[in-house]
Amino acid sequence: MAKITYIEHNGTRHEVEVSNGMTVMEGARDNNIPGIEADCGGACACSTCHVYVDPIWVDKLPAKEDMEEDMLDFAWQPDPERSRLTCQLRVTDALDGLVVQMPEKQI
Ligand code: FES
């Protein structure tokens, strides 16, 4: 279980508990948090689950696979350091306290 804070582009914060084994995308979807669309349902085939990870978390997360790296090229204003696809981030206790920020829009 991890407490994850999702911050909408307008600054609205959502702090929720997400079970281990789920993805950060599923945590947003199941809690009706706007700003993560996840059009492909988590198949790493769209980039509409893009977020900016809080800078202190960048090095604590598992490294990106090539597929995630490639799909991020299609995201809205990706940041080389902070951008991640939330469907590729699986929740464990190690993610407790994670903070992510949604982009202005998803494309
Ligand atoms: S939900 Fe489509 S890439 Fe993450």
Side-chain angles (χ1 to χ4, degrees):
M1 184 78 84
K3 186 177 289 182
I4 300 179
T5 302
Y6 300 83
I7 305 174
E8 292 182 54
H9 187 69
N10 67 11
T12 305
R13 296 170 74 93
H14 304 263
E15 199 173 282
V16 297
E17 301 271 354
V18 184
S19 300
N20 289 355
M22 295 180 65
T23 64
V24 175
M25 176 277 276
E26 290 167 333
R29 183 197 63 194
D30 293 357
N31 288 285
N32 298 314
I33 297 171
I36 293 180
E37 296 173 8
D39 288 342
C40 77
C44 200
C46 69
S47 85
T48 64
C49 65
H50 168 218
V51 297
Y52 304 110
V53 172
D54 187 278
I56 64 164
W57 277 91
V58 168
D59 292 333
K60 298 182 187 170
L61 297 176
K64 288 173 235 175
E65 303 270 342
D66 290 347
M67 200 162 71
E68 180 181 356
E69 195 83 67
D70 290 347
M71 282 313 301
L72 276 169
D73 290 342
F74 299 97
W76 174 256
Q77 297 185 342
D79 178 289
E81 299 293 323
R82 297 179 57 208
S83 286
R84 295 299 301 254
L85 294 179
T86 49
C87 71
Q88 301 303 301
L89 291 174
R90 199 151 296 276
V91 174
T92 65
D93 290 346
L95 265 59
D96 188 41
L98 176 66
V99 179
V100 299
Q101 206 167 5
M102 279 73 107
E104 183 180 357
K105 58 182 173 180
Q106 300 285 4
I107 53 171

